[in-house]
Amino acid sequence: MDKEDYQFNGFTYLKNYAPSDESPIIEHGKSKPENIFKYYSLTKYSVDALMNGYLYASHPIELNDLLDSSPFLFFTSEKLDFVLYEKLYGPVVQSKEELDKIYEDDANRERLCQSYISTMWQVATNLFGIISTSENEFSPLMWPYYTQEKGFQIKFTTEKLEKSIQQKFPKNEQYIGLYPVNYVEKLAPIDISPFKSLLVPLYYSTNIKAQSWNYENEWRLLVSKQNMGVPYSKRGLNIQKDYHIDKKNRYVYYDKEIVEEITLGVDFFNSRDFEIEWLDSQNIKVKTLKSDSNWEYESLNLFMDYVFQNLKDRLFYSGVKYELDENGVHYLVRTKEKMEIEKVEENTFVLTRTNIVKKPAYNSGLA
């Protein structure tokens, strides 16, 4: 059998074992959005990612939903073949007797191959990374949840980002593709017993999320590299030590020039982190403050300098605006206003409002 597939909720998960095959791993009926957006909280890590032009490809343990890409999404309805255990454990066990004991203890009605599934999931996710993006530009939920209103959002042209990643991706490693998340009413585990490898079940598990997450309109960039690491210590009650060769194995680089826009959160310039002076109704002077409450002082300075040097013509500021519906009733929408920025002295900048405001189309839901 050269091809395996699994269909669920209008999506088809595929693996073609032909050596030269480069077909998609997930078939769906959605068109790629023209633009995708990445939301960041303000930390030294997000600043470093912006300045050095990379996206972090998370391990499933690092995702913010316990059930997202989880080993709980795998089960087997049948006793797995001994050959699978031999392939997985054979290189590390000392004798055939030990291997037979592992198989006897795990491949029974009580255990249901739990150790095999867990170990295979760890092996597979060491080679797998997930980059979450959204097609939502003005989401009233994404801003507070992912940026705490203090972080930032960067905008990409989808085609340019994918092309740039592919050009910079290391040889002998794999950029798998960009796929929409499959939001489902019920998270159903997949039976791995019909498949000759864990690939189709892995694609499935890393693509489905509960319907309650659908406000994110998430699109995922999937990548595969050698030794991307498994951060066991981030999972509760787990005593395994982290497996890391190099954290940078999870960095996925792109050309920094393709950033279309950067938008700062509405609380980015707050009086705990900045000295703020309104020069007039259009111009605001801001200076980073070094204080006990500002733990990201150095990151703020690096960030502001980088934005001024590289993104000043693409800078926006998040905001809120009243609109009128067809009945003349006011309602609120998230907006972004283009800002000009000038550096007047060390760590001090003047922001100028342009009154050029972008907003979502009426009745566009949470986007």
Side-chain angles (χ1 to χ4, degrees):
M1 181 170 56
D2 290 330
K3 184 178 181 180
E4 294 180 321
D5 67 79
Y6 180 73
Q7 297 182 17
F8 191 82
N9 194 40
F11 284 56
T12 302
Y13 304 91
L14 301 139
K15 176 57 185 174
N16 192 324
Y17 291 96
S20 60
D21 182 72
E22 295 183 359
S23 59
I25 64 165
I26 303 171
E27 290 181 349
H28 54 87
K30 297 187 176 183
S31 300
K32 287 184 182 179
E34 181 180 353
N35 300 108
I36 52 176
F37 301 84
K38 183 70 176 172
Y39 289 81
Y40 285 105
S41 58
L42 184 69
T43 67
K44 63 181 181 181
Y45 304 108
S46 60
V47 172
D48 186 71
L50 175 69
M51 293 177 60
N52 290 290
Y54 67 83
L55 299 164
Y56 182 79
S58 299
H59 183 277
I61 287 175
E62 298 172 303
L63 301 176
N64 56 11
D65 176 2
L66 171 66
L67 300 179
D68 188 351
S69 311
S70 165
F72 294 120
L73 290 169
F74 303 113
F75 82 102
T76 179
S77 61
E78 298 179 6
K79 183 177 181 178
L80 297 178
D81 196 288
F82 177 80
V83 173
L84 296 174
Y85 282 76
E86 192 172 33
K87 288 180 179 178
L88 180 61
Y89 296 106
V92 294
V93 298
Q94 300 299 314
S95 65
K96 186 177 186 304
E97 289 74 18
E98 184 181 353
L99 183 60
D100 289 341
K101 183 70 165 56
I102 291 173
Y103 184 66
E104 179 184 341
D105 290 345
D106 193 51
N108 55 54
R109 192 175 295 276
E110 290 74 33
R111 290 287 299 172
L112 297 173
C113 304
Q114 290 178 19
S115 291
Y116 175 85
I117 290 172
S118 176
T119 304
M120 276 301 297
W121 179 84
Q122 293 171 43
V123 170
T125 56
N126 176 48
L127 307 172
F128 202 80
I130 299 166
I131 300 167
S132 297
T133 69
S134 173
E135 62 177 291
N136 288 350
E137 183 172 9
F138 296 100
S139 172
L141 297 178
M142 299 287 282
W143 273 108
Y145 192 81
Y146 288 102
T147 78
Q148 297 78 55
E149 304 287 5
K150 286 182 59 178
F152 58 97
Q153 173 209 77
I154 52 178
K155 175 182 179 180
F156 296 102
T157 297
T158 307
E159 184 178 355
K160 288 182 180 179
L161 178 61
E162 283 201 274
K163 184 177 180 180
S164 182
I165 288 173
Q166 288 172 306
Q167 289 174 341
K168 289 181 174 288
F169 217 74
K171 293 181 179 179
N172 304 319
E173 310 284 15
Q174 185 182 11
Y175 170 69
I176 299 173
L178 175 69
Y179 299 99
V181 165
N182 186 356
Y183 296 105
V184 298
E185 291 293 337
K186 294 181 179 180
L187 290 173
I190 183 172
D191 185 356
I192 69 170
S193 62
F195 302 98
K196 70 178 185 180
S197 79
L198 204 65
L199 289 172
V200 167
L202 180 68
Y203 301 156
Y204 168 79
S205 72
T206 57
N207 183 249
I208 64 165
K209 291 184 74 171
Q211 188 68 30
S212 54
W213 291 96
N214 71 346
Y215 70 88
E216 295 184 333
N217 284 325
E218 184 179 351
W219 285 74
R220 291 184 160 178
L221 295 147
L222 305 179
V223 299
S224 178
K225 294 183 181 180
Q226 295 295 315
N227 293 313
M228 297 182 78
V230 183
Y232 296 110
S233 64
K234 293 184 177 182
R235 179 63 75 229
L237 301 180
N238 193 316
I239 62 174
Q240 286 179 273
K241 292 183 178 180
D242 290 347
Y243 174 71
H244 280 310
I245 301 297
D246 184 352
K247 186 178 180 180
K248 291 183 178 180
N249 283 354
R250 289 197 173 270
Y251 292 2
V252 176
Y253 290 90
Y254 61 87
D255 181 357
K256 292 182 287 184
E257 293 302 312
I258 70 168
V259 173
E260 295 287 334
E261 295 174 1
I262 183 166
T263 302
L264 308 183
V266 68
D267 293 333
F268 184 91
F269 295 109
N270 62 82
S271 58
R272 292 188 176 188
D273 299 337
F274 291 89
E275 180 183 300
I276 302 169
E277 180 184 359
W278 281 83
L279 302 177
D280 52 47
S281 61
Q282 297 294 111
N283 298 282
I284 312 108
K285 184 164 75 170
V286 294
K287 179 180 181 179
T288 51
L289 289 173
K290 191 171 187 178
S291 65
D292 291 339
S293 65
N294 186 359
W295 298 104
E296 297 294 343
Y297 176 73
E298 295 299 333
S299 293
L300 272 176
N301 289 330
L302 288 170
F303 180 86
M304 292 297 295
D305 276 330
Y306 183 82
V307 169
F308 172 68
Q309 295 290 341
N310 300 277
L311 297 168
K312 63 185 299 182
D313 59 333
R314 290 164 274 176
L315 175 62
F316 288 78
Y317 195 71
S318 181
V320 179
K321 189 178 184 297
Y322 287 111
E323 291 287 289
L324 288 173
D325 66 15
E326 71 275 14
N327 298 314
V329 178
H330 284 91
Y331 67 99
L332 288 167
V333 295
R334 297 298 298 247
T335 63
K336 51 174 65 174
E337 180 179 358
K338 198 170 192 315
M339 303 288 279
E340 295 177 353
I341 183 171
E342 291 297 332
K343 186 172 184 177
V344 293
E345 56 186 72
E346 191 67 22
N347 303 334
T348 305
F349 301 83
V350 171
L351 302 166
T352 301
R353 300 184 63 182
T354 67
N355 297 318
I356 300 171
V357 176
K358 298 173 62 176
K359 60 185 180 183
Y362 174 64
N363 205 25
S364 61
L366 294 178

